[in-house]
Amino acid sequence: VGSDGRPSSTSAISKDVESIHQRYDSSGPHTALILPFVNFLSSLIVIVTRLIGLEALLSMALSAGLTVYVYNATEDNPAFDGGAMSWTLLTFAVVTPLSASVRMAFARREKALTYLKTIRSSMINMFIAHASWDWPKRGQPESGRQACKVDWMEYGDDVLNEMLSLIDELCMILLLPTSTRARHKVLPASVKEAKDVNDVSERIHKSLVGRMGKLSAQCEYLKLQGLPGNEASRIRQWEQFILDSIEGLRLIKNYRTPQALRSYSRLLSVLIPPLFCPYYADLARSTGSLGLGIFYALLTAVALSGLFDCVAQLEDPFFGHTSLDGVDVQEELGECLSEHLLLLRKQTFSGAKPFQRSTQKI
């Protein structure tokens, strides 16, 4: 270990890690001075490009327009006192429900990450077991796998093919369009859309269950060849973990945070800021600056609409390729896990030909 506490290994990976630290370490004096400004600019870009949508623009337009109207309409009214408006309504009607929705949405996302972690680790362990676990008898070199008249590379490829197909289908079901929004419950066209999506989802789900059945049958085949029961039970446990996690991910995909709460928050986050236009107009008059009153109105509208957009983006946590905090399912399963399984195949069956997948329509 070097003086800076980092590994001083001469391996290629360690050199790459050291190079990354040298180029991108944020503890350098120059970077430390620039980084706050870069982070501020990045946050501003996120707010403008990701959190200001049509609903935010509508609320901003209404808030600014009504503020100007009230400011002009009450110009000759000395008894006008917009500052008497209470912000209690804003707090209890909008901010509190939105805060609860944000907590629930992030809890669902973290649960989804836990399920994905379980699937990845269980699949890797299960493939290692199917491809390389042996059960030789002491003093009998021609026992265990060597005593079986089985092409173990072909067997391992059959298991790997089912696993890769299962991964692909799990990505399909998680990346289907969202079908549980308010419009999918009340509008005829959207109800039909939700039915079509759910029909496809059910077909993929049945195929997933079928593939888990095939993987279970592969374990039975190993038992017939002599795999001890205690080791087979460990494989069964990994199968259970995978199936439990798949069902958990499917339920997160199909069910959301309370729909009534989301509809309530969506409407009030747009309509409440314009209702406080008398307060903004009074602020403008007391400070002698209409621009300050309009700015305060716009800021309130952006804050509430942005908070709701944070919730909306995490309602379906499996769109990491389009949302900032979503789970990138294609990366975590479709690319990383598949590559790891193929790497394990290459290590287990050295000198084997490149893996050829067999496809089967759902």
Side-chain angles (χ1 to χ4, degrees), residues 258-294:
Q259 179 61 65
L261 182 61
R262 283 184 283 135
S263 299
Y264 180 77
S265 299
R266 180 186 293 273
L267 289 176
L268 292 186
S269 64
V270 174
L271 299 179
I272 287 291
L275 293 180
F276 279 83
C277 59
Y279 178 88
Y280 312 137
D282 185 76
L283 175 65
R285 181 161 288 111
S286 62
T287 59
S289 173
L290 178 59
L292 180 61
I294 294 176

Side-chain angles (χ1 to χ4, degrees), residues 298-311:
L298 296 178
L299 187 62
T300 306
V302 169
L304 292 183
S305 298
L307 191 59
F308 179 79
D309 283 341
C310 290
V311 177

Side-chain angles (χ1 to χ4, degrees), residues 219-233:
C219 182
E220 288 298 311
Y221 184 76
L222 277 183
K223 288 169 62 179
L224 288 176
Q225 301 302 318
L227 180 72
N230 61 326
E231 294 187 348
S233 66

